[in-house]
Amino acid sequence: MSQFSVIPWNARSWLEVSSQSDFSLQNLPFGIFTSNGRTEPRVGLALGDWVVDTVALFDAGLLAQVPGLNRTHLLAAELNALLSAGSLTWRGLRAQVAELFTAGNSTLLKNSDLHSRLLVKQSEAKMRLPTRVSNYVDFYSSREHASNVGAMFRDPQNPLLPNWLHIPIGYNGRSSSIIPSGVPFKRPMGQLKADTDPAPIFAPTKQLDFELEMAFITGKETALGETISAQKTDDYIFGLALLNDWSARDVQRWEYVPLGPFLAKTFATSLSPWIVTLDALQPFRVNGPEQTVPVLPYLQTAGPQTYDIHLEVLLQSERMSEPLRISRTNFKYMYWSMAQQLAHLASNGTNVDVGDVYGSGTISGPTPDSYGSMLELCWKGTKPIALPDGSQRKFIEDGDTVIMKGWAEKDGVRIGFGEVRTQVLPAG
Ligand code: CA
C-alpha cells in the first residue's frame, strides 16, 4: 500500500470545515466545474463548503512544485489530461493543496485577497461530469442483489446461476448517456409485454427503477493485449463516485433474453460529480464477505479489498417538502471486489482507458431495509413504500427525485461523496 498518499489524520484546515462536511481536508476529491466568474471548465478540489480553483492556484504560482503539472491539465473540461499526466502529478497536486490549506501554513492564510480568487462556494459552482468516459461497464457483484433477483424471477431455492460464484458478471453499458448529478431525464419509451399479453406494445415504462451503485474510475490506461494483475489494480483505479444505474424493469424483462440488458439501461445513468481518490479511502479498507467457492488464480487477491462506505437512498415526490430515506446499506457487502472486477475485465486483453466508469452493480445489504433498488425494496411491487404525502410507490413516478449519498467516517474525520440527485420528467 506504500504508493498511496494519505493526508495526516490529525491535520485540520485554517479554512472553516464543519465536522459534518463530506469534504474534509483528508478527502480533497477531484471534480470539474464552472461558475459565474469562471466560464471555462476547470479542475476543482472540494474542501468544506468550497471548491478550490486549481487554475487560480497555478496562476498564483503556488503549484510550481508539482511534478509534470501543466496549466492545460487544469483548464480542462475533464480530468483525463491530468490523470494521463500520471499519479506523481495528480498526487502531487492533491498533496500541495492539502499543505496550502493546512492550519499553520501561512502562505494563503495571510493573503485574504487571494482567497476570493482561489475559492468558489460550492452552492455557486456548476459541476460537470468529472471525466470523458470512453467505456462504461456495469457489474453485478452483490450476492444479496443477485440472490433477490434470482429468487423473484427464477428459483427461490436456487437463486444464483451456476457461473455467479466464479465470474464477476458484467455487461458493457453506454457511456454517452451518463449524466451528472442534477440533470433530469425523461421517462423512457420501450417495448413492454406482460406474460399474459399476446404481443408487445411501445409505451413509456411503467416500472422505472433506480440502482444504488458505486463506480470506480480508472486513472491509467492499458494497451490492447495487456492484462491487469488482481494484485496491481490499485495502480489503475483513480477513485470512486456514486452511481445510479436507472433501469426500466418491464423493458428489461422482455428484452434481456438472450444477450442481457440493452435499452432498459441505456437511457440515463447518473454519476456524482466528485471523484474521491482511492488514497483518501485507504483508512477505511476492510475485508469483504468470505468467498465461499475458490476463485481461479487470476482472480485471487491478498489482504482487505473493499471499503467501509455508508450509503443511503432518499426519495422525494413533488409534493414532499423533504426527502424520505428509503434504504441504508454499505459498500463493504459486495461479494466481488473492484480488484477482481478490473482483473477479470482486462483478462482477455481488452484495453482500459483513462476516465472509464466501472459500476459495482446494485449494492444490497442483508436486510430488507438495505436493498438497493425499488424492485427489491418493494419486492416486485408486493410491498409498496408509503410516502409522507399520502401516496405509495412501487416504482419511480414522474416528478420524483432520487438522491443517493455516501460517506466513510472514523475518529471524527469524514470522507464523503456528496450526492447524486436526479429528477424524473414525464415521457414525451
Ligand atoms: Ca446495475
Side-chain angles (χ1 to χ4, degrees), residues 32-101:
I32 299 288
F33 77 103
T34 58
S35 71
N36 271 343
R38 296 164 173 82
T39 50
E40 285 185 276
R42 59 195 62 206
V43 175
L45 276 69
L47 178 59
D49 294 335
W50 303 88
V51 183
V52 179
D53 180 346
T54 62
V55 175
L57 274 181
F58 189 96
D59 291 346
L62 295 166
L63 300 178
Q65 318 293 328
V66 179
L69 186 66
N70 190 311
R71 195 172 188 268
T72 58
H73 298 148
L74 305 175
L75 192 64
E78 62 252 334
L79 291 167
N80 297 58
L82 175 64
L83 299 183
S84 294
S87 62
L88 271 182
T89 300
W90 61 256
R91 283 199 165 105
L93 169 60
R94 183 165 166 272
Q96 176 68 2
V97 171
E99 189 177 321
L100 287 167
F101 283 89

Side-chain angles (χ1 to χ4, degrees), residues 136 138-140 145 171 211 213 243 245 247 265 360-362:
Y136 163 47
D138 196 24
F139 289 96
Y140 189 59
H145 173 68
Y171 66 95
E211 290 188 343
E213 302 194 20
L243 183 132
D245 175 26
S247 302
K265 300 279 191 173
S360 59
T362 308

Side-chain angles (χ1 to χ4, degrees), residues 212 311-313 325-329 363-372 376-377 383:
L212 168 64
L311 297 165
E312 58 184 36
V313 183
R325 188 174 69 210
I326 58 174
S327 178
R328 195 164 191 184
T329 184
I363 303 164
S364 290
T367 56
D369 59 352
S370 65
Y371 294 162
E376 295 163 271
L377 288 167
K383 295 196 296 181

Side-chain angles (χ1 to χ4, degrees), residues 3 228-235 285 297-303 305 339-340 343:
Q3 80 273 27
I228 300 176
S229 157
Q231 322 285 333
K232 298 273 193 223
T233 54
D234 287 342
D235 295 347
R285 211 165 167 129
Y298 80 98
L299 293 172
Q300 287 170 5
T301 55
Q305 293 296 330
Q340 292 172 320

Side-chain angles (χ1 to χ4, degrees), residues 405-423:
K405 299 183 179 190
W407 70 96
E409 199 159 17
K410 185 187 269 186
D411 308 327
V413 175
R414 187 173 166 108
I415 305 283
F417 289 79
E419 63 178 29
V420 56
R421 169 187 293 261
T422 319
Q423 188 177 32

